[in-house]
Amino acid sequence: MTTLSTEPADVLKRRAQRFASKGELRKAALALRERAAILGDAASWVMAGAMLRRARRDDEAIEALRQGLWLHERAGAAGRARSVANVLRELAPDDRLARRYAKAS
């Protein structure tokens, strides 16, 4: 028997997956953004940004992706920061932070 975690971040991730599978992308994005606020890690912010992008909430997606990129940069994960920058440049081609990382590749 599999026991599901009751940690708030895990609950929010499962909730987001459930909403996304039903096509309720905005609700999924909200759950992931809440998860990112709890955990504060780069991966959570990038997941939230990607879901916000799918939900066509571009301004919010840009902010979440920028936060994820900054956190990857602080953690010394330059390759991950470049990957996020490439996604960010699709949404905001003139974003200075994204351009700086794209040039680094």
Side-chain angles (χ1 to χ4, degrees):
M1 182 172 157
T2 303
T3 305
L4 296 177
S5 171
T6 59
E7 291 294 318
D10 295 333
V11 171
L12 287 165
K13 185 176 181 181
R14 286 194 306 271
R15 184 178 299 160
Q17 290 169 334
R18 187 173 59 247
F19 282 138
S21 71
K22 293 179 183 179
E24 297 181 45
L25 301 178
R26 184 178 170 281
K27 289 181 181 180
L30 292 175
L32 288 174
R33 190 168 50 192
E34 188 175 343
R35 180 180 192 268
I38 290 170
L39 293 178
D41 66 329
S44 295
W45 281 107
V46 173
M47 280 192 289
M51 187 60 71
L52 285 160
R53 181 180 183 198
R54 287 181 60 196
R56 297 192 173 152
R57 312 274 304 198
D58 290 349
D59 290 340
E60 295 172 59
I62 290 167
E63 291 305 313
L65 290 168
R66 290 186 101 237
Q67 181 69 16
L69 188 141
W70 182 77
L71 288 167
H72 276 311
E73 174 188 31
R74 283 193 55 193
R80 289 176 189 226
R82 271 193 304 279
S83 295
V84 176
N86 290 331
V87 173
L88 185 56
R89 285 194 68 188
E90 291 175 13
L91 285 171
D94 296 327
D95 187 275
R96 288 177 20 180
L97 183 62
R99 265 191 302 186
R100 188 176 87 209
Y101 274 93
K103 287 181 181 178
S105 58

